[in-house]
Amino acid sequence: MRRPVRAAESAAAGLSGLLLLLGTACGSRLPESDFGDRPDRAPVTRAAEPIRVGLVASATSPVGGDAFTGPRDGAQAYFDALNARGGIGGRRVEVHTCDDGGSGVGNNECVHRLVEEDEVVALVATTALDYAGASLVARARVPDIGGQPIGAAYDTYPHLYGIYGSLAPRNGKPGWDGKLYGGTEIYRWFKREHGARTAAVVSYNQSASAAYARLVVRGLRAEGYEVVTEQVDFALPNFRAAAADLKERGADLVFDAIDGYGNAKLCEAMDDVGAEVLAKVTNVQNWTSTVREDYKDAPRCRNALWATGSSRNYDDTAAGHEAVREFREGTKSLKTRSQWQLEGWAAAMWFTDAARSCAGTGVTRACVDRFMATGKPYTAKGLLLPVRFERLPGPPRTRRTCLSVARWEDARGWVSQGDMDDECFDVPQLSYRP
């Protein structure tokens, strides 16, 4: 299971996109791939032969624009910097990219080309609106490293390693009996740090939006909040009415289950009616450097934006984090920066560390997968909260989880609120169906 805040965030990220959004084989013969790393069968390659990896992103999805390209761009920037330093053991990383168009058909085509035709060693930083090819990746035993859990694939299939980890069995069914679990640490943090007591949850009258909103409402109530629910029409949303009501009800916090465009319009409406809140809380997908442009008509709400996640703030230049400085240096040619770019950078670093562990046997799918499956926590030099992969027979009732929190300020950008390694809570785990 992904870290609880990540469960909620990934649901929000997938929801945002949507809303713009193996049975056991008979016999005793093991597949040949199980023996791919025997010393006497190490691949015979020239020293300069590149290591091929695949990057799948829904770059031209119905969501449009750059909604799903951040992880891809961050991973590509990392591999460019790595190749400039000589690559991995003198071998450059050859990146094969594929835009699946945000469709299941397109995703299957990308997976087929990268896995079967290009024969990539691994997929890295996958960001797919509809990861229809996930089962093919799993059957081919191709490690998929650091992907964004927009859907339930990373809690369903073996050999898939999402950027936030998983404790689920990953036996072909999502989570445990079809349920995933999320924690309440976000709500507890705002209660502890700012004394928040009333929270509004804004959603569309659309099934995915409403389902995620119900999860948020459950979490808030579990932490003792009074909850105000606001549902607007997906086709003709009246954000002004919702903003006026949450103002009337005295909401301290505003959470949402709507897309980026809707968030901007909600913020405009909040400014128009004079609704002031402690925090308008968003997720990692909207943790970007384009806030001024995205919320240009809502200056007051814009400066009440808070983002929560599971990775170190890409804007955290004052805290002395060398890994953040390396990321910023490696991405200085990009027009914008985002938290998803940083997580894509971390995913590429993860693959690189896995590939370097294969120096004695050759960089193969099986060797890289073995590194990923060790169960040891991974932090990408402190860019990520410790990521773990285990296969628990049942979901934990509670779990100690940490979170990264930042607030937007026009004059300073995203400002970290405490250190993510210290912002930790023991919180209940609440179930939901993906």
Side-chain angles (χ1 to χ4, degrees):
M1 184 190 69
R2 61 178 69 95
R3 194 183 71 83
V5 64
R6 298 157 180 167
E9 287 157 2
S10 65
L15 191 261
S16 173
L18 176 64
L19 291 173
L20 275 161
L21 280 117
L22 299 166
T24 302
C26 296
S28 60
R29 187 175 185 274
L30 293 175
E32 288 294 320
S33 59
D34 277 4
F35 304 97
D37 290 343
R38 272 175 34 185
D40 62 331
R41 295 189 53 184
V44 179
T45 59
R46 296 184 301 275
E49 183 178 348
I51 300 170
R52 295 186 294 274
V53 301
L55 299 181
V56 179
S58 299
T60 57
S61 73
V63 179
D66 301 324
F68 289 93
T69 57
R72 179 201 67 186
D73 294 345
Q76 180 72 71
Y78 181 89
F79 287 133
D80 287 344
L82 177 69
N83 287 335
R85 299 193 303 268
I88 300 173
R91 299 171 64 186
R92 63 183 293 271
V93 176
E94 182 179 279
V95 177
H96 295 240
T97 62
C98 191
D99 173 12
D100 67 11
S103 73
V105 172
N107 187 263
N108 272 314
E109 291 174 351
C110 280
V111 167
H112 173 75
R113 176 167 70 79
L114 295 173
V115 170
E116 298 180 351
E117 296 178 12
D118 296 343
E119 297 183 327
V120 298
V121 171
L123 299 178
V124 178
T126 299
T127 313
L129 181 57
D130 183 354
Y131 197 177
S135 61
L136 173 57
V137 175
R139 287 196 302 272
R141 300 189 175 196
V142 176
D144 178 342
I145 301 172
Q148 290 291 338
I150 293 170
Y154 291 97
D155 284 305
T156 302
Y157 297 105
H159 311 295
L160 272 61
Y161 304 95
I163 193 69
Y164 307 135
S166 176
L167 301 181
R170 292 185 292 143
N171 56 8
K173 297 180 181 180
W176 293 267
D177 297 324
K179 295 180 180 180
L180 304 183
Y181 288 75
T184 61
E185 59 276 10
I186 296 173
Y187 321 126
R188 188 170 297 185
W189 189 90
F190 279 103
K191 188 175 183 179
R192 184 192 72 180
E193 295 296 320
H194 297 282
R197 291 293 182 270
T198 303
V201 182
V202 183
S203 65
Y204 290 125
N205 61 342
Q206 188 264 0
S207 59
S209 176
Y212 177 64
R214 287 194 294 270
L215 174 64
V216 176
V217 169
R218 285 182 62 205
L220 286 164
R221 286 177 175 160
E223 291 296 332
Y225 282 82
E226 179 183 343
V227 181
V228 177
T229 58
E230 304 286 349
Q231 190 171 87
V232 298
D233 186 77
F234 183 44
L236 296 170
N238 186 345
F239 289 117
R240 187 178 181 88
D245 189 52
L246 66 89
K247 176 188 177 183
E248 179 69 21
R249 304 282 291 277
D252 299 317
L253 309 176
V254 177
F255 294 88
D256 68 86
I258 61 179
D259 56 294
Y261 173 81
N263 264 298
K265 291 301 181 183
L266 175 61
C267 261
E268 289 178 33
M270 290 171 62
D271 272 20
D272 287 346
V273 303
E276 297 187 25
V277 295
L278 288 172
K280 168 66 184 73
V281 188
T282 189
N283 57 65
V284 68
Q285 189 181 14
N286 298 314
W287 192 335
T288 73
S289 63
T290 62
V291 169
R292 288 185 186 86
E293 295 79 12
D294 297 341
Y295 296 84
K296 59 183 174 60
D297 296 322
R300 186 166 57 245
C301 180
R302 182 176 71 229
N303 282 279
L305 282 177
W306 297 65
T308 64
S310 306
S311 51
R312 196 168 300 281
N313 181 9
Y314 77 85
D315 241 353
D316 205 351
T317 57
H321 296 293
E322 180 62 29
V324 174
R325 288 198 295 270
E326 290 175 359
F327 162 75
R328 294 179 66 86
E329 177 65 23
T331 56
K332 63 183 179 183
S333 63
L334 299 179
K335 294 180 180 179
T336 63
R337 283 200 177 97
S338 72
Q339 203 64 15
W340 262 14
Q341 289 173 0
L342 180 139
E343 292 182 353
W345 176 280
M349 186 190 303
W350 204 349
F351 166 78
T352 300
D353 288 341
R356 283 173 173 157
S357 76
C358 301
T361 60
V363 182
T364 65
R365 292 173 176 177
C367 179
V368 171
D369 188 72
R370 195 156 47 240
F371 176 91
M372 297 299 299
T374 60
K376 296 179 181 178
Y378 186 79
T379 68
K381 296 183 179 179
L383 292 179
L384 304 174
L385 287 166
V387 184
R388 294 177 174 85
F389 294 96
E390 301 178 45
R391 297 191 178 195
L392 301 183
R397 293 184 178 182
T398 62
R399 193 179 179 199
R400 184 164 183 79
T401 56
C402 306
L403 71 161
S404 176
V405 185
R407 179 180 181 176
W408 176 265
E409 296 181 14
D410 279 348
R412 302 170 64 191
W414 289 104
V415 180
S416 296
Q417 308 295 306
D419 189 281
M420 68 178 189
D421 294 321
D422 300 324
E423 303 300 323
C424 306
F425 302 90
D426 293 303
V427 293
Q429 303 299 290
L430 306 178
S431 66
Y432 68 97
R433 289 193 178 275

